[in-house]
């Protein structure tokens, strides 16, 4: 009976325990559910905050801070191409990408710097970290990134680091015309040469800028000048070829040169740091040596103080202060003006200058343009070095090319004006088409002549004799009536001159009757060789270099050969003077 009464209570107790346990487990499930809901809510809130942050970074704040970037519409547009007179591309652009960052949105600058340093060449972690922790909204990390590197950077996926379309200036001919073209900075701003002179025009215009250079002639001059430097072990050289009628520069070479595609760039100052960017033709100033005798004879003829038959005693050296001026391999006799020029007599040059006088000399030097800079469309223009007081001693030294220093461009321009019938002609890199050419020639003819047509023709004839009978024989090319003058000048060292360091120059043109082109070639400190029989003067190195250039460029430029020797009335007189003894008695 007791057993029967007790059994229902046991079953009830078990059910109560099971119910209690169920309630307990249900409470645990509810608690877990609540916790999951709280965790999900927190995670959703966190995700929402991250999304808001990303939108702020990538849309609103990035746009705001990006306004601080030094990028303008002008900067991102490519510069116009530069082409030569025949349309050959000399300077153009390539589409590239550049890497920049917004430091204000960089999450972990240290980590970002470490990752970027592994792929960016020549940039340290320290440098990158410094840039990425800047308080600016824009910093460049690397300009003109190669395509392969762009992929590596994109795979890093660093927020706040971006690649932007950019343009890089490139020069298809490398160093061939580097001193004329100059170069650009990383922002495509012109730093030197025509790139700088025409910077605004190249930025704003779409059409290519056509300049006067002929890349074919430029190559010939560069090639022959390079060969001459190697043959005569010269440390440098410069050369130019100019249209005698319009002043258009067809070639301008300065060596050593530099490849503007790979310059030694001072990025801090955005300037080219290499000394080889120095343009010897327009910026360098040098004593011209015997090439100045062209000017000396022109003054004498124009002033009426001498004729080609005037005679000068060249037996004895001329004393100037503590120095004695003598002739190199002098004739030791009386010389006519013609002979004095052909044999490049320093003694006779001084006596010719003494006849027309110091005042007349300075007046003509001013008229010739020697006292002021000769300009062309590059910013690198040298100032002539002129004595403060133009004394009688100055007149004596200037007569044979010492005492003043001028740029090669200045010398070439002056000689061209003298041999070009005395008509002034401004050197230029601006290309002239057929109509422009005629307009320039017509305008030049209206200017005041610097010498008469008669004097100009006489000077050309004398220069032709120098090539045919004098110091420039190695510039005489079959088929062309080349005229010219050599000059060998010792290089100054402080207040004295180096005995064995020289500038050797040939300056001249062709054809004789109606000059179409004039040229100048100079070697810096050429050395004697076995083939020059121990000589290092201009007749042995600069003159043959000029001859090789003329022989190659004449046919390309369509200059008709004048195979028939030009009849020169001075030549017969010259032969007579050479064959007749004119020794003076003491």
């Amino acid at each position: 009976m007791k057993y029967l009464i007790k059994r229902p209570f046991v079953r009830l107790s078990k059910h109560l325990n099971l119910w209690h346990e169920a309630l307990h487990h249900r409470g645990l499930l509810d608690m877990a559910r609540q916790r999951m809901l709280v965790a999900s809510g927190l995670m959703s809130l966190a995700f929402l905050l991250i999304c808001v942050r990303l939108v702020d970074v990538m849309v609103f704040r990035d746009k705001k801070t990006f306004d601080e970037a030094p990028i303008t519409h002008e900067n991102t547009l490519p510069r116009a191409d530069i082409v030569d007179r025949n349309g050959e591309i000399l300077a153009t652009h390539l589409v590239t990408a550049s890497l920049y960052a917004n430091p204000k949105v960089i999450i972990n600058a240290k980590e970002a710097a470490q990752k970027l340093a592994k792929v960016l060449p020549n940039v340290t972690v320290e440098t990158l970290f410094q840039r990425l922790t800047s308080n600016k909204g824009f910093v460049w990390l690397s300009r003109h990134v190669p395509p392969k590197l762009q992929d590596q950077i994109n795979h890093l996926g660093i927020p706040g680091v971006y690649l932007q379309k950019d343009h890089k200036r490139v020069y298809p001919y490398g160093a061939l015309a580097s001193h004329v073209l100059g170069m650009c900075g990383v922002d495509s701003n012109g730093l030197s040469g025509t790139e700088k002179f025409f910077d605004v025009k190249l930025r704003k215009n779409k059409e290519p800028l056509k300049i006067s250079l002929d890349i074919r002639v430029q190559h010939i001059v560069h090639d022959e000048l390079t060969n001459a430097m190697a043959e005569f072990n010269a440390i440098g050289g410069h050369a130019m070829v100019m249209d005698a009628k319009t002043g258009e520069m067809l070639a301008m070479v300065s060596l050593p040169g530099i490849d503007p595609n790979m310059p030694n760039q001072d990025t801090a100052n955005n300037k080219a740091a290499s000394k080889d960017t120095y343009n010897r033709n327009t910026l360098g100033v040098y004593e011209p040596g015997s090439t100045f005798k062209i000017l000396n004879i022109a003054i004498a003829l124009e002033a009426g103080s001498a004729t080609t038959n005037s005679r000068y005693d060249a037996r004895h050296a001329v004393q100037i202060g503590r120095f004695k001026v003598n002739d190199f391999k002098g004739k030791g006799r009386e010389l006519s003006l013609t002979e004095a020029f052909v044999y490049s007599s320093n003694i006779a040059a001084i006596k010719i200058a003494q006849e027309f006088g110091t005042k007349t000399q300075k007046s003509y030097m001013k008229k010739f343009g020697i006292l002021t800079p000769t300009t062309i469309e590059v910013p690198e223009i040298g100032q002539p070095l002129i004595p403060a007081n133009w004394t009688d001693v100055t007149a004596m030294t200037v007569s044979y090319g010492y005492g003043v220093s001028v740029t090669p461009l200045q010398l070439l321009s002056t000689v061209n004006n003298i041999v070009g019938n005395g008509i002034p002609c401004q050197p230029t890199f601006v290309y002239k088409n057929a109509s422009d050419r005629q307009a320039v020639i017509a305008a030049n003819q209206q200017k005041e002549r610097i010498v008469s047509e008669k004097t100009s023709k006489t000077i050309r004839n004398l220069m032709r004799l120098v090539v045919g009978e004098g110091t420039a024989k190695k510039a005489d090319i079959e088929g062309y009536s080349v005229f010219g003058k050599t000059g060998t000048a010792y290089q100054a060292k402080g207040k004295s001159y180096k005995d064995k360091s020289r500038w050797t120059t040939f300056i001249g043109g062709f054809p004789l009757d109606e000059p179409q082109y004039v040229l100048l070639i100079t070697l810096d400190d050429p050395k004697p060789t076995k083939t020059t029989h121990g000589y290092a003067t201009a007749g042995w190195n600069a003159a043959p270099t000029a001859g090789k250039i003329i022989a190659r460029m004449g046919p390309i430029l369509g200059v008709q050969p004048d195979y028939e020797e030009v009849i020169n009335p001075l030549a017969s007189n010259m032969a007579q003077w050479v064959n007749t003894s004119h020794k003076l008695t003491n």
Side-chain angles (χ1 to χ4, degrees), residues 416-442:
N416 181 56
N417 293 342
I418 291 173
V419 301
N421 295 323
I423 299 172
C425 184
Q426 173 65 32
T428 183
F429 283 124
V430 177
Y431 167 73
K432 311 295 182 186
N433 59 31
S435 59
D436 292 338
R437 179 182 177 83
Q438 294 304 317
V440 169
I441 293 173

Side-chain angles (χ1 to χ4, degrees), residues 213-364:
L213 279 192
D214 187 323
I215 201 63
R216 303 170 302 171
V217 180
Q218 181 80 5
H219 168 73
I220 291 170
V221 175
H222 190 281
D223 187 43
E224 293 297 346
L225 191 62
T226 301
N227 293 340
M229 285 175 57
E231 181 179 356
F232 303 111
N233 196 26
I235 63 175
H238 49 270
M240 291 173 284
V241 176
M242 188 169 76
D243 186 308
K245 299 293 186 183
T246 64
E248 292 172 272
M249 199 64 63
L250 273 68
M252 180 181 284
V253 178
S254 178
L255 298 177
I258 186 172
D259 187 345
N261 293 310
M262 298 179 291
N264 181 13
Q265 190 81 7
D266 179 358
T267 53
N269 297 313
N270 205 27
K271 293 180 180 178
S274 172
K275 64 179 181 179
D276 293 337
T277 59
Y278 184 84
N279 190 341
R280 294 165 177 254
N281 290 293
T282 63
L283 192 55
V285 288
Y286 315 98
E287 289 178 306
S290 292
T291 56
F292 240 41
K293 291 171 184 173
I294 299 171
L295 282 62
N296 196 51
I297 298 297
I299 295 172
L301 295 175
E302 197 69 9
S305 63
T307 68
T308 55
N309 292 320
S310 298
R311 312 183 80 78
Y312 304 91
D313 184 358
R315 293 178 300 166
H316 308 294
V318 177
Q319 190 78 34
I320 302 180
R322 60 189 178 91
F323 299 101
K324 281 187 177 182
V325 178
N326 217 325
D327 289 341
F328 178 72
K329 300 184 71 174
K331 301 300 179 181
R333 60 177 173 82
E334 184 186 66
L335 299 174
S336 69
L337 181 142
T338 301
E339 289 179 304
F341 186 77
V342 171
Y343 297 139
S344 199
S345 171
N346 297 330
I347 298 171
I350 292 172
K351 295 185 176 182
I352 292 169
Q354 288 174 328
E355 286 189 349
F356 56 68
T358 303
K359 185 177 180 180
T360 298
Q361 184 190 62
K362 185 177 181 181
S363 175
Y364 270 95

